[in-house]
Structures are given as structure tokens and as C-alpha cells.
Amino acid sequence: EAFGNRGIKSRMFDSIIGFVSDTANAYLQRLSGGAMVVEFDTQTKLKSGEWRDKFDVRVKKANEKGSYQSCSGGEKRRADLAISLALQELVNKSTVSCNVGVFDEPFDGLDESGIEQSIELLEEVMRNKETTFIITHRPELKGYFDTVWVVENEDGVSSLKA
């Protein structure tokens, strides 16, 4: 039982979920102006009344319950970024430190205000990291960053362009 779903793994996950939830919500508060809250569940109740391990992310918007799937693209990106930053902070609390951040398309679905809020938060949180990579297909965002690398795919081969 110790190595089953209700054993050590479940207890370890349950012990960190509070930290991840609190941290993600602090970031999401800033990204959404307080309009969104994220909740995590590690179990779900079946129709039979039995409980099963299942990780679920719920998002509350303006005091109404909803699911992550019911969010708009921009709302999902805000929640994703907040959760990613919270997980990065969790890693940094461990004995292993991570000095690199990689964010793939964090601005898709965001309006200009959402992009600016996200970039401001990323700059603040990632300030002490050696390297932060932001992957985007939006050339209009180049002006927000000090260093920009352009990777182009020609005939199935990706290469770095100067």
C-alpha cells in the first residue's frame, strides 16, 4: 500500500498542493486582477461513492465555478503561467536550484494588457535566474526583450538566424 496511489506518492503530493495552490493564486491574482482563482484536487468521488486519485484543476471566475476547459484562451494562459511559476518556485525550495526558465507560447490568447502584465511578472520572478527563454511566434513582441534569437525552419531543418 505504501507505493500505491494512496501511499507515499499521494501523501507527498498532498503535502505540496497547498504551497502550489497558494503561490499560483498569488501570481494569478496579479495576472487577472483578482478575477480568477485556481484550485487543485487530488481525488474525485465516483458515482459509487468511492474516491479515486485524479488530479484536477478548477478555475473560479468572478465567484462562479468552472473548469479549466471552460476558460477562454487568455484565461487559460494566465492560469498556466501562474501554475508554471508556482511549480518553478517549488523546485527552487528544494535542495536543487533551477536557474533556467522556459516558457512556450505564454502570451497566446492574451490581449496587450495581459501580455504586459505577464511580461512584468516574468521579469520580476525570473530576475535572479541566469537564463529565461520565452518561445513565441509573434514578432511584434521582440521589443519587450533584450536578446532575441530567431529560429527558422527551411526544408525541415531548423537553424538560428542572426
Side-chain angles (χ1 to χ4, degrees), residues 147-161:
T147 304
V148 176
W149 295 346
V150 177
V151 177
E152 291 183 3
N153 187 318
E154 294 177 17
D155 299 323
V157 177
S158 295
S159 60
L160 188 62
K161 299 295 178 183

PDB file of all heavy atoms in Angstrom, residues 147-161:
ATOM      1  N   THR A 147      17.396  40.324 -25.616  1.00  0.00           N
ATOM      2  CA  THR A 147      18.049  39.439 -26.575  1.00  0.00           C
ATOM      3  C   THR A 147      16.986  38.620 -27.280  1.00  0.00           C
ATOM      4  O   THR A 147      16.115  38.040 -26.631  1.00  0.00           O
ATOM      5  CB  THR A 147      19.033  38.475 -25.861  1.00  0.00           C
ATOM      6  OG1 THR A 147      19.973  39.252 -25.123  1.00  0.00           O
ATOM      7  CG2 THR A 147      19.754  37.600 -26.862  1.00  0.00           C
ATOM      8  N   VAL A 148      17.053  38.580 -28.591  1.00  0.00           N
ATOM      9  CA  VAL A 148      16.087  37.826 -29.383  1.00  0.00           C
ATOM     10  C   VAL A 148      16.843  36.908 -30.322  1.00  0.00           C
ATOM     11  O   VAL A 148      17.749  37.344 -31.031  1.00  0.00           O
ATOM     12  CB  VAL A 148      15.169  38.774 -30.201  1.00  0.00           C
ATOM     13  CG1 VAL A 148      14.243  37.972 -31.094  1.00  0.00           C
ATOM     14  CG2 VAL A 148      14.394  39.689 -29.274  1.00  0.00           C
ATOM     15  N   TRP A 149      16.474  35.656 -30.301  1.00  0.00           N
ATOM     16  CA  TRP A 149      17.010  34.687 -31.251  1.00  0.00           C
ATOM     17  C   TRP A 149      15.868  34.277 -32.157  1.00  0.00           C
ATOM     18  O   TRP A 149      14.764  33.985 -31.697  1.00  0.00           O
ATOM     19  CB  TRP A 149      17.547  33.439 -30.562  1.00  0.00           C
ATOM     20  CG  TRP A 149      18.730  33.664 -29.669  1.00  0.00           C
ATOM     21  CD1 TRP A 149      19.533  34.764 -29.610  1.00  0.00           C
ATOM     22  CD2 TRP A 149      19.241  32.753 -28.704  1.00  0.00           C
ATOM     23  NE1 TRP A 149      20.501  34.591 -28.662  1.00  0.00           N
ATOM     24  CE2 TRP A 149      20.356  33.354 -28.092  1.00  0.00           C
ATOM     25  CE3 TRP A 149      18.867  31.491 -28.300  1.00  0.00           C
ATOM     26  CZ2 TRP A 149      21.101  32.741 -27.109  1.00  0.00           C
ATOM     27  CZ3 TRP A 149      19.607  30.870 -27.316  1.00  0.00           C
ATOM     28  CH2 TRP A 149      20.722  31.489 -26.735  1.00  0.00           C
ATOM     29  N   VAL A 150      16.141  34.230 -33.431  1.00  0.00           N
ATOM     30  CA  VAL A 150      15.134  33.819 -34.406  1.00  0.00           C
ATOM     31  C   VAL A 150      15.549  32.463 -34.957  1.00  0.00           C
ATOM     32  O   VAL A 150      16.660  32.304 -35.467  1.00  0.00           O
ATOM     33  CB  VAL A 150      14.999  34.858 -35.548  1.00  0.00           C
ATOM     34  CG1 VAL A 150      14.006  34.365 -36.584  1.00  0.00           C
ATOM     35  CG2 VAL A 150      14.578  36.207 -34.987  1.00  0.00           C
ATOM     36  N   VAL A 151      14.650  31.507 -34.846  1.00  0.00           N
ATOM     37  CA  VAL A 151      14.898  30.176 -35.388  1.00  0.00           C
ATOM     38  C   VAL A 151      13.940  29.996 -36.559  1.00  0.00           C
ATOM     39  O   VAL A 151      12.724  30.186 -36.412  1.00  0.00           O
ATOM     40  CB  VAL A 151      14.666  29.078 -34.327  1.00  0.00           C
ATOM     41  CG1 VAL A 151      14.856  27.697 -34.932  1.00  0.00           C
ATOM     42  CG2 VAL A 151      15.594  29.292 -33.134  1.00  0.00           C
ATOM     43  N   GLU A 152      14.496  29.653 -37.700  1.00  0.00           N
ATOM     44  CA  GLU A 152      13.677  29.438 -38.891  1.00  0.00           C
ATOM     45  C   GLU A 152      13.828  28.009 -39.371  1.00  0.00           C
ATOM     46  O   GLU A 152      14.895  27.412 -39.257  1.00  0.00           O
ATOM     47  CB  GLU A 152      14.076  30.415 -39.998  1.00  0.00           C
ATOM     48  CG  GLU A 152      13.719  31.847 -39.683  1.00  0.00           C
ATOM     49  CD  GLU A 152      14.043  32.801 -40.820  1.00  0.00           C
ATOM     50  OE1 GLU A 152      14.503  32.340 -41.889  1.00  0.00           O
ATOM     51  OE2 GLU A 152      13.835  34.008 -40.625  1.00  0.00           O
ATOM     52  N   ASN A 153      12.749  27.498 -39.925  1.00  0.00           N
ATOM     53  CA  ASN A 153      12.743  26.145 -40.455  1.00  0.00           C
ATOM     54  C   ASN A 153      12.730  26.237 -41.976  1.00  0.00           C
ATOM     55  O   ASN A 153      11.804  26.783 -42.557  1.00  0.00           O
ATOM     56  CB  ASN A 153      11.509  25.398 -39.948  1.00  0.00           C
ATOM     57  CG  ASN A 153      11.526  23.948 -40.332  1.00  0.00           C
ATOM     58  OD1 ASN A 153      11.879  23.588 -41.444  1.00  0.00           O
ATOM     59  ND2 ASN A 153      11.114  23.110 -39.413  1.00  0.00           N
ATOM     60  N   GLU A 154      13.770  25.714 -42.579  1.00  0.00           N
ATOM     61  CA  GLU A 154      13.862  25.674 -44.033  1.00  0.00           C
ATOM     62  C   GLU A 154      14.096  24.237 -44.469  1.00  0.00           C
ATOM     63  O   GLU A 154      15.053  23.603 -44.040  1.00  0.00           O
ATOM     64  CB  GLU A 154      15.013  26.561 -44.525  1.00  0.00           C
ATOM     65  CG  GLU A 154      14.783  28.032 -44.250  1.00  0.00           C
ATOM     66  CD  GLU A 154      15.964  28.890 -44.685  1.00  0.00           C
ATOM     67  OE1 GLU A 154      16.805  28.412 -45.474  1.00  0.00           O
ATOM     68  OE2 GLU A 154      16.037  30.033 -44.212  1.00  0.00           O
ATOM     69  N   ASP A 155      13.206  23.729 -45.281  1.00  0.00           N
ATOM     70  CA  ASP A 155      13.301  22.366 -45.797  1.00  0.00           C
ATOM     71  C   ASP A 155      13.461  21.348 -44.674  1.00  0.00           C
ATOM     72  O   ASP A 155      14.241  20.402 -44.763  1.00  0.00           O
ATOM     73  CB  ASP A 155      14.478  22.243 -46.787  1.00  0.00           C
ATOM     74  CG  ASP A 155      14.309  23.157 -47.992  1.00  0.00           C
ATOM     75  OD1 ASP A 155      13.165  23.324 -48.449  1.00  0.00           O
ATOM     76  OD2 ASP A 155      15.330  23.719 -48.460  1.00  0.00           O
ATOM     77  N   GLY A 156      12.712  21.538 -43.572  1.00  0.00           N
ATOM     78  CA  GLY A 156      12.727  20.586 -42.485  1.00  0.00           C
ATOM     79  C   GLY A 156      13.901  20.724 -41.539  1.00  0.00           C
ATOM     80  O   GLY A 156      14.066  19.911 -40.629  1.00  0.00           O
ATOM     81  N   VAL A 157      14.749  21.753 -41.715  1.00  0.00           N
ATOM     82  CA  VAL A 157      15.907  21.949 -40.857  1.00  0.00           C
ATOM     83  C   VAL A 157      15.760  23.297 -40.150  1.00  0.00           C
ATOM     84  O   VAL A 157      15.617  24.342 -40.793  1.00  0.00           O
ATOM     85  CB  VAL A 157      17.222  21.924 -41.678  1.00  0.00           C
ATOM     86  CG1 VAL A 157      18.410  22.210 -40.788  1.00  0.00           C
ATOM     87  CG2 VAL A 157      17.384  20.597 -42.383  1.00  0.00           C
ATOM     88  N   SER A 158      15.785  23.269 -38.811  1.00  0.00           N
ATOM     89  CA  SER A 158      15.712  24.496 -38.034  1.00  0.00           C
ATOM     90  C   SER A 158      17.103  25.056 -37.828  1.00  0.00           C
ATOM     91  O   SER A 158      18.048  24.306 -37.551  1.00  0.00           O
ATOM     92  CB  SER A 158      15.083  24.236 -36.667  1.00  0.00           C
ATOM     93  OG  SER A 158      13.739  23.830 -36.817  1.00  0.00           O
ATOM     94  N   SER A 159      17.230  26.363 -38.012  1.00  0.00           N
ATOM     95  CA  SER A 159      18.540  26.990 -37.798  1.00  0.00           C
ATOM     96  C   SER A 159      18.357  28.377 -37.187  1.00  0.00           C
ATOM     97  O   SER A 159      17.344  29.033 -37.367  1.00  0.00           O
ATOM     98  CB  SER A 159      19.298  27.091 -39.122  1.00  0.00           C
ATOM     99  OG  SER A 159      18.583  27.858 -40.056  1.00  0.00           O
ATOM    100  N   LEU A 160      19.375  28.782 -36.439  1.00  0.00           N
ATOM    101  CA  LEU A 160      19.374  30.073 -35.786  1.00  0.00           C
ATOM    102  C   LEU A 160      19.766  31.145 -36.797  1.00  0.00           C
ATOM    103  O   LEU A 160      20.775  31.028 -37.484  1.00  0.00           O
ATOM    104  CB  LEU A 160      20.378  30.039 -34.623  1.00  0.00           C
ATOM    105  CG  LEU A 160      20.414  31.229 -33.682  1.00  0.00           C
ATOM    106  CD1 LEU A 160      19.071  31.389 -32.984  1.00  0.00           C
ATOM    107  CD2 LEU A 160      21.520  31.048 -32.666  1.00  0.00           C
ATOM    108  N   LYS A 161      18.958  32.190 -36.879  1.00  0.00           N
ATOM    109  CA  LYS A 161      19.219  33.292 -37.813  1.00  0.00           C
ATOM    110  C   LYS A 161      19.720  34.495 -37.016  1.00  0.00           C
ATOM    111  O   LYS A 161      19.233  34.791 -35.938  1.00  0.00           O
ATOM    112  CB  LYS A 161      17.953  33.681 -38.589  1.00  0.00           C
ATOM    113  CG  LYS A 161      17.390  32.556 -39.422  1.00  0.00           C
ATOM    114  CD  LYS A 161      18.341  32.171 -40.520  1.00  0.00           C
ATOM    115  CE  LYS A 161      17.765  31.018 -41.305  1.00  0.00           C
ATOM    116  NZ  LYS A 161      18.605  30.529 -42.335  1.00  0.00           N
TER     117      LYS A 161
END
